[in-house]
Amino acid sequence: MKLATLRNGEPDGSLLVVSRDLRRALDATSIAPNLLHAIQHWDDCAPRLQQLSDALNSGKAEGAVDFVPAACMAPLPRTFQWCDGSAFLNHGRLMEKAFNTPPIPDFNTIPVMYQGASDDFLGPAEDVPMPDEALGIDFEGEFGVIAGPVPMGIKGDAALDSVRLLVQINDWSLRGLGPREMKSGFGFLQAKPSTSFAPVAITPDELGAHWRHGRVQLELEVEWNGETFGHPHGGEMNFSFGELIAHAARTRKLSAGTIIGSGTVSNADRSAGSACIAERRVIEIIEQGKPQTSFMQFGDRVRMAARLPDGSHPFGVIDQRVVQAA
């Protein structure tokens, strides 16, 4: 099934069930007022939400309305925890060159992860306020999962069973602030503004064979100001989502509603392009001796959408404009 959050003036919005073709939607607040409540009471809510979904997709649901992605918040507008990995090692190795940092110990065997802010996620069509163009405004296309409760010390295979929903993410970055924060030893804070999400969170079965080995086996198409920027494939993750969840839960339990990100989707084949500007700039340095591509300016737009072989977008589309913060 597919779920979304309608903007209603409340911090957590109201829950919608969305049709498979993203054309129609049903109010689901009689089952759960919002998605966080549904995740926290998944065993009770999921079967009833699935019934709504089946009725909607069969055309038998009463009260269905047109689905308007621009009216949506992030599927989870806020939650208890947001942890973002760097599961595409090709991207991580390139970023080491970008920031001139020494190799990360055990990079090939232990996932890299930071804990981001989870109190203010952005919806798919919201303008994105940034304080200063000089800070190096960058987009980062990712996939992610929303987990149910996870016990401390869980292993990778079992951790994958905790996945409730899959999401598509733009994890915004301010590249001018990243190097100092990484060198501090305390990780990102100012370099990571509010993260954006595609309008629809989906259960893994919606992808069929394209959810395999704990990875989203789809290309993520990225456009910047209407120009194709990249289409890297999510199947090239070096660590599965099960391994990422287990890493986050090694020394603590995870609350239901925790979001785990894949990190920037990145492929070794450079013909796939990139899902962030910093990666392209590093490739330009390697191939041309210096970066050719600038970071984003106010008024720029970025569009991201995972695409199924039939051309449809299972998560919907992120389409946002960068603006100057008031």
Side-chain angles (χ1 to χ4, degrees):
M1 62 184 160
K2 300 191 175 188
L3 303 172
T5 294
L6 182 67
R7 189 178 304 279
N8 68 352
E10 296 297 324
D12 298 304
S14 58
L15 183 62
L16 295 175
V17 171
V18 182
S19 63
R20 188 164 288 116
D21 61 7
L22 305 187
R23 294 180 181 272
R24 304 286 281 170
L26 272 174
D27 183 289
T29 55
S30 62
I31 297 172
N34 53 63
L35 184 56
L36 183 57
H37 180 97
I39 294 293
Q40 291 174 313
H41 303 86
W42 191 250
D43 290 344
D44 174 59
C45 293
R48 292 191 288 158
L49 291 170
Q50 187 64 59
Q51 288 180 343
L52 273 189
S53 176
D54 293 342
L56 182 60
N57 285 312
S58 67
K60 299 177 181 178
E62 295 183 2
V65 299
D66 290 340
F67 178 57
V68 182
C72 290
M73 306 170 77
L76 271 182
R78 59 180 181 171
T79 191
F80 301 107
Q81 185 163 218
W82 151 237
C83 296
D84 197 23
S86 183
F88 294 85
L89 298 190
N90 179 68
H91 176 77
R93 293 186 181 109
L94 288 171
M95 289 305 98
E96 286 177 357
K97 295 181 180 179
F99 295 120
N100 193 30
T101 56
I104 298 171
D106 305 310
F107 189 55
N108 293 343
T109 55
I110 300 175
V112 174
M113 186 173 288
Y114 82 91
Q115 187 175 40
S118 58
D119 61 324
D120 181 40
F121 294 137
L122 301 178
E126 290 185 64
D127 284 347
V128 181
M130 295 290 186
D132 189 345
E133 292 175 335
L135 296 179
I137 303 168
D138 199 357
F139 48 81
E140 290 195 61
E142 307 186 9
F143 294 111
V145 299
I146 302 175
V150 179
M152 182 173 63
I154 196 169
K155 302 303 180 185
D157 291 343
L160 202 57
D161 292 335
S162 72
V163 172
R164 300 290 183 256
L165 296 165
L166 312 179
V167 290
Q168 179 193 307
I169 298 168
N170 182 1
D171 184 40
W172 292 95
S173 288
L174 295 174
R175 299 298 187 184
L177 299 174
R180 188 202 67 80
E181 291 192 327
M182 285 191 290
K183 289 176 182 177
S184 74
F186 278 81
F188 296 123
L189 180 67
Q190 295 175 347
K192 285 295 184 179
S194 297
T195 302
S196 302
F197 288 77
V200 178
I202 68 176
T203 49
D205 61 285
E206 289 288 334
L207 292 186
H210 301 289
W211 170 250
R212 191 170 65 253
H213 306 311
R215 296 162 172 85
V216 176
Q217 306 283 344
L218 294 174
E219 289 186 347
L220 182 59
E221 298 180 342
V222 181
E223 295 179 4
W224 180 13
N225 291 333
E227 299 289 333
T228 297
F229 194 84
H231 51 89
H233 196 279
E236 206 166 299
M237 279 177 72
N238 297 82
F239 298 101
S240 71
F241 277 110
E243 291 172 299
L244 294 180
I245 294 169
H247 177 76
R250 183 184 178 192
T251 59
R252 56 181 167 176
K253 66 180 182 179
L254 307 181
S255 298
T258 294
I259 303 175
I260 304 289
S262 67
T264 305
V265 181
S266 179
N267 292 172
D269 182 357
R270 291 183 182 167
S271 68
S274 298
C276 76
I277 300 170
E279 183 173 297
R280 175 182 279 191
R281 285 168 58 89
V282 174
I283 292 171
E284 290 169 345
I285 292 171
I286 293 169
E287 296 182 347
Q288 303 174 47
K290 62 180 181 179
Q292 307 292 324
T293 303
S294 300
F295 291 111
M296 299 184 80
Q297 304 294 306
F298 297 140
D300 283 5
R301 300 194 71 91
V302 62
R303 183 182 189 275
M304 298 180 180
R307 182 184 291 272
L308 285 164
D310 65 5
S312 64
H313 303 133
F315 303 95
V317 176
I318 297 174
D319 190 352
Q320 294 182 293
R321 181 180 61 143
V322 173
V323 299
Q324 186 165 21

